[in-house]
């Protein structure tokens, strides 16, 4: 999952990193194929080198020591709004077949079954980044036909709905789970199966998806991590937090 | 995060507050549990280390201890709403929340058409808080304040607010602040009160001063699962303590372990004129 995410970062790109898994992916990308990538954090931090040491939030000291820029939220998110960010990573409680993400309400807005913590900067990233990479655990209740609440827009109702809504960013380019990768395909921009991670099966992936998951023409096995990628991961994730 | 102010609002039994912040650690969750809050205006309320905030969930899902009105924003949208409030703009036209159901849940935000391009745009009205509580590394007795590290919305929120209350980790002579005016984020002429409160940020970090008390966030998550649990937690850590000095004393060695003792100073900037 981390390695697949790292491969979505191209060299020299400005990336909205976010916390937890994507920050590790960013570190792996920097140490392998993308040594000139720039990491952006919405609290007001830009970094070249990933922080040394475990981060619980992007405001923690290690993320600020040696940063490229410590500034305000508006300055960093303004890079997004100004169309200067190549890609962003987002997770969520639910994602649907058009890549819309819910981190706000399960059930009805006025009488929610579960009130989730909310959006943070995710809608801004989803709306404005050139492309969006979604990372989520592959479970039927997480990959759903339709989300209860669109916190962060994907392709909305599919087709050209996103464009009609006036969203400047390109929208979700890939959905990475712990079992597979999915990509928007066809005129509807519905997410299709693109590759299956080593050790997982088509039946298992389809069975754990909450919509009728179709396959792209050439579904492949996700290329396994290279030695260089695993070395980078060991270097970044010294405590083995993401490998357990 | 000005947790010392959070505690004091709870101790004073304040009611009917609208808490406005993009992301509020567990501060807003505490105030909701203590019954101080009727409205939440923000982008994210929870526990940065533990996930969900139990009090926020209880209030939103069951109206316990009482119902709250939630005004959803994205981070950039609330930031720009403060920006508008700070600089006298009635509203800001944004593209970055288009397509989000925040446009449906937050009735204050209007979907409109950009008169220049004819494209959709979201109009977000200015936010002007009554009071802004701000933690700074150092201030002088007039409230002139130095902050370093990432600053979130500190500057926009302070200029937008009608009153500014500064919680300074350290009080220094005015000459210290004046030696580096580029590092002043909040000038004293707008400040209503400056309070010397070391570790006012605890359990959140403050660059160069205090590390995050991650265990405290986890403990809070575990110890506030039920309303009665939260009441016990709140008595122990807030209501039964007279002030922040007593809070620091209660933390004792736990707080001392978080004190940053290392040295990583920036290079001096020369302001000489000749």
């Amino acid at each position: 999952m981390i390695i697949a995410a790292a491969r979505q970062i191209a060299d020299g790109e400005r990336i909205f990193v976010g916390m937890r898994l994507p920050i590790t992916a960013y570190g792996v990308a920097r140490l392998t194929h993308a040594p000139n990538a720039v990491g952006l954090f919405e609290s007001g931090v830009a970094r070249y080198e990933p922080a040394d040491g475990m981060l619980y939030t992007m405001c923690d000291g290690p993320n600020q020591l040696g940063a490229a820029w410590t500034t305000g939220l508006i300055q960093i998110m303004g890079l997004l709004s100004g169309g200067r960010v190549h890609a962003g990573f987002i997770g969520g409680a639910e994602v649907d077949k058009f890549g819309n993400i819910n981190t706000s309400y399960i059930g009805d807005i006025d009488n929610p079954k579960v009130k989730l913590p909310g959006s943070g900067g995710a809608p801004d990233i989803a709306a404005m980044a050139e492309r969006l990479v979604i990372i989520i655990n592959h479970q039927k209740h997480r990959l759903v036909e339709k989300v209860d609440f669109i916190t962060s827009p994907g392709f909305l109702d599919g087709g050209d709905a996103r464009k009609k809504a006036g969203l400047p960013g390109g929208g979700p380019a890939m959905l990475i789970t712990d079992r597979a990768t999915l990509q928007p395909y066809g005129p509807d921009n519905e997410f299709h199966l693109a590759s299956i991670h080593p050790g997982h099966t088509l039946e298992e992936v389809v069975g754990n998806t909450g919509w009728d998951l179709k396959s792209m023409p050439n579904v492949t096995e996700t290329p396994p991590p290279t030695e260089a990628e695993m070395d980078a991961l060991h270097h970044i994730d010294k405590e083995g937090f993401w490998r357990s | 995060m000005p947790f010392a102010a959070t505690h004091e609002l709870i101790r004073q039994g304040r009611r009917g507050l609208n808490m406005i912040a993009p992301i509020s650690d567990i501060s807003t969750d505490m105030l909701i549990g203590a019954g101080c809050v009727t409205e939440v205006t923000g982008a994210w309320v929870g526990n940065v280390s533990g996930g969900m905030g139990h009090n926020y969930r209880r209030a939103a899902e069951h109206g316990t201890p009482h119902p709250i009105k939630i005004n959803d924003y994205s981070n950039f949208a609330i930031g720009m709403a403060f920006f508008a409030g700070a600089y006298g703009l009635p509203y800001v036209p944004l593209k970055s929340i288009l397509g989000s159901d925040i446009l449906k849940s937050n009735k204050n935000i209007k979907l409109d058409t950009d008169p220049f391009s004819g494209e959709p745009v979201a109009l977000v009205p200015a936010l002007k808080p009554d009071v802004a509580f701000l933690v700074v590394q150092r201030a002088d007795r007039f409230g002139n304040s130095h902050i370093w590290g990432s600053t979130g919305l500190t500057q926009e929120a302070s200029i937008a607010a009608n009153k500014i209350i500064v919680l300074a980790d350290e009080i220094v002579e005015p000459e210290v602040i004046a030696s580096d005016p580029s590092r002043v984020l909040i000038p004293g002429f707008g400040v209503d009160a400056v309070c010397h409160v070391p570790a006012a940020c605890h359990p959140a970090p403050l660059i160069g001063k205090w590390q995050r008390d991650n265990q405290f966030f986890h403990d809070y998550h575990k110890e506030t699962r039920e309303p009665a649990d939260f009441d016990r937690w709140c008595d122990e850590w807030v209501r039964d303590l007279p002030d922040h000095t007593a809070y620091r004393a209660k933390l004792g060695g736990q707080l001392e372990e978080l004190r940053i003792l290392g040295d990583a100073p920036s290079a001096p900037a020369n302001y000489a004129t000749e």
Side-chain angles (χ1 to χ4, degrees):
Chain A
M1 215 172 170
I2 293 168
I3 302 298
R7 290 172 184 162
Q8 292 303 305
I9 299 172
D11 196 22
E13 286 194 320
R14 286 183 284 266
I15 306 293
F16 245 80
V17 177
M19 288 311 297
R20 301 176 197 272
L21 196 148
I23 208 170
T24 310
Y26 172 75
V28 170
R30 281 264 329 182
L31 283 175
T32 53
H33 62 277
N36 301 301
V38 180
L40 305 172
F41 300 84
E42 60 206 62
S43 59
V45 178
R47 287 196 75 88
Y48 303 120
E49 294 287 336
D52 197 17
M54 183 76 188
L55 295 179
Y56 291 98
T57 82
M58 57 184 75
C59 298
D60 288 359
N63 206 34
Q64 314 230 0
L65 178 66
W69 192 21
T70 59
T71 180
L73 181 152
I74 285 179
Q75 284 70 30
I76 292 287
M77 301 219 76
L79 292 175
L80 257 182
S81 190
R84 297 181 185 282
V85 175
H86 299 101
F89 289 92
I90 302 188
E94 285 186 329
V95 62
D96 67 21
K97 65 180 180 182
F98 294 123
N100 303 302
I101 303 158
N102 181 11
T103 51
S104 300
Y105 302 87
I106 303 287
D108 183 56
I109 297 177
D110 297 319
N111 189 18
K113 198 170 126 221
V114 182
K115 178 69 191 88
L116 301 164
S119 66
D124 308 303
I125 297 168
M128 308 303 295
E130 277 181 24
R131 61 183 198 281
L132 176 66
V133 179
I134 303 164
I135 299 179
I136 195 163
N137 279 328
H138 207 132
Q139 294 164 305
K140 213 165 183 164
H141 69 279
R142 293 190 181 277
L143 276 68
V144 299
E145 174 81 22
K146 193 171 170 53
V147 290
D148 288 340
F149 185 94
I150 299 176
T151 311
S152 306
F155 292 105
L156 301 172
D157 297 328
D160 62 351
R162 180 180 169 94
K163 209 169 182 177
K164 277 194 189 145
L167 290 159
M174 182 170 270
L175 203 162
I176 301 172
T177 77
D178 48 343
R179 305 179 203 264
T181 69
L182 282 63
Q183 286 178 23
Y185 183 74
D188 286 346
N189 280 315
E190 182 177 321
F191 270 85
H192 284 51
L193 180 62
S195 75
I196 302 172
H197 298 341
H200 297 274
T201 65
L202 178 66
E203 294 70 34
E204 173 206 333
V205 168
V206 171
N208 283 286
T209 304
W211 69 86
D212 178 18
L213 181 65
K214 300 178 198 96
S215 292
M216 287 175 70
N218 295 307
V219 174
T220 57
E221 183 181 81
T222 313
T226 64
E227 207 173 308
E229 286 169 336
M230 284 313 289
D231 285 350
L233 180 58
H234 281 264
H235 183 78
I236 295 290
D237 185 25
K238 292 186 182 71
E239 294 162 31
F241 189 76
W242 292 110
R243 285 172 281 130
S244 53
Chain B
M1 287 304 299
F3 278 99
T6 306
H7 298 167
E8 188 56 28
L9 290 169
I10 293 173
R11 269 194 292 269
Q12 290 184 10
R14 297 280 172 158
R15 290 289 178 267
L17 301 179
N18 178 3
M19 300 310 300
I20 311 175
I23 289 180
S24 58
D25 273 344
I26 45 176
S27 164
T28 297
D29 192 71
M30 289 178 190
L31 286 157
I32 292 170
C36 306
V37 178
T38 49
E39 218 169 315
V40 171
T41 300
W44 196 94
V45 177
N47 180 330
V48 287
S49 298
M52 308 258 203
H54 298 301
N55 289 314
Y56 184 49
R57 280 196 63 180
R58 274 192 284 273
E61 294 166 21
H62 309 294
T64 311
H66 50 68
I68 49 169
K69 181 169 183 262
I70 297 170
N71 305 304
D72 290 312
Y73 284 81
S74 72
N75 275 351
F76 191 60
I78 196 167
M80 291 306 290
F82 277 145
F83 184 93
Y87 302 117
L89 315 176
Y91 61 86
V92 282
L94 295 187
K95 282 187 171 282
S96 79
I97 48 168
L98 292 175
S100 172
D101 284 342
I102 288 174
L103 294 173
K104 294 178 189 161
S105 70
N106 186 337
K107 305 282 190 285
N108 297 323
I109 300 175
K110 286 188 164 49
L111 185 61
D112 209 323
T113 304
D114 175 353
F116 298 102
S117 69
E119 290 177 7
V121 67
L123 307 184
V124 180
L127 272 174
K128 289 175 75 74
D130 293 322
V131 186
F133 294 100
L134 304 161
V135 173
V136 306
Q137 279 102 337
R138 63 186 179 214
D140 66 20
R141 60 184 178 274
F142 304 109
N144 299 298
S145 302
H146 274 179
I147 304 181
W148 54 97
S150 61
T151 53
L153 293 174
T154 302
Q155 184 146 63
E156 292 79 14
S158 67
I159 300 173
N162 290 325
K163 281 194 173 159
I164 302 175
I165 298 178
V166 167
L167 286 73
D169 209 77
E170 187 187 357
I171 298 287
V172 296
E173 289 303 314
E175 296 77 32
V176 175
I177 304 296
S179 74
D180 194 359
S182 288
R183 211 184 298 279
V184 172
L185 209 70
I186 307 167
F189 58 77
V191 172
D192 294 86
V194 53
C195 319
H196 181 212
V197 191
C201 59
H202 180 273
L206 183 63
I207 298 303
K209 296 285 186 183
W210 304 97
Q211 298 181 61
R212 166 177 301 277
D213 191 343
N214 202 49
Q215 192 57 44
F216 197 91
F217 282 93
H218 283 298
D219 292 345
Y220 178 84
H221 189 71
K222 273 190 290 198
E223 292 166 16
T224 61
R225 282 189 197 280
E226 299 298 328
D229 300 337
F230 172 76
D231 274 336
R232 264 194 302 278
W233 184 94
C234 196
D235 284 345
E236 182 186 348
W237 286 100
V238 183
R239 293 191 195 106
D240 291 348
L241 301 174
D243 53 28
H244 202 263
T245 306
Y247 178 81
R248 290 194 299 274
K250 180 172 165 58
L251 284 166
Q254 184 183 345
L255 184 61
E256 279 313 306
E257 280 184 23
L258 300 168
R259 187 189 290 278
I260 291 173
L261 301 170
D263 222 15
S266 61
N270 187 6
Y271 286 90
T273 54
E274 55 187 312

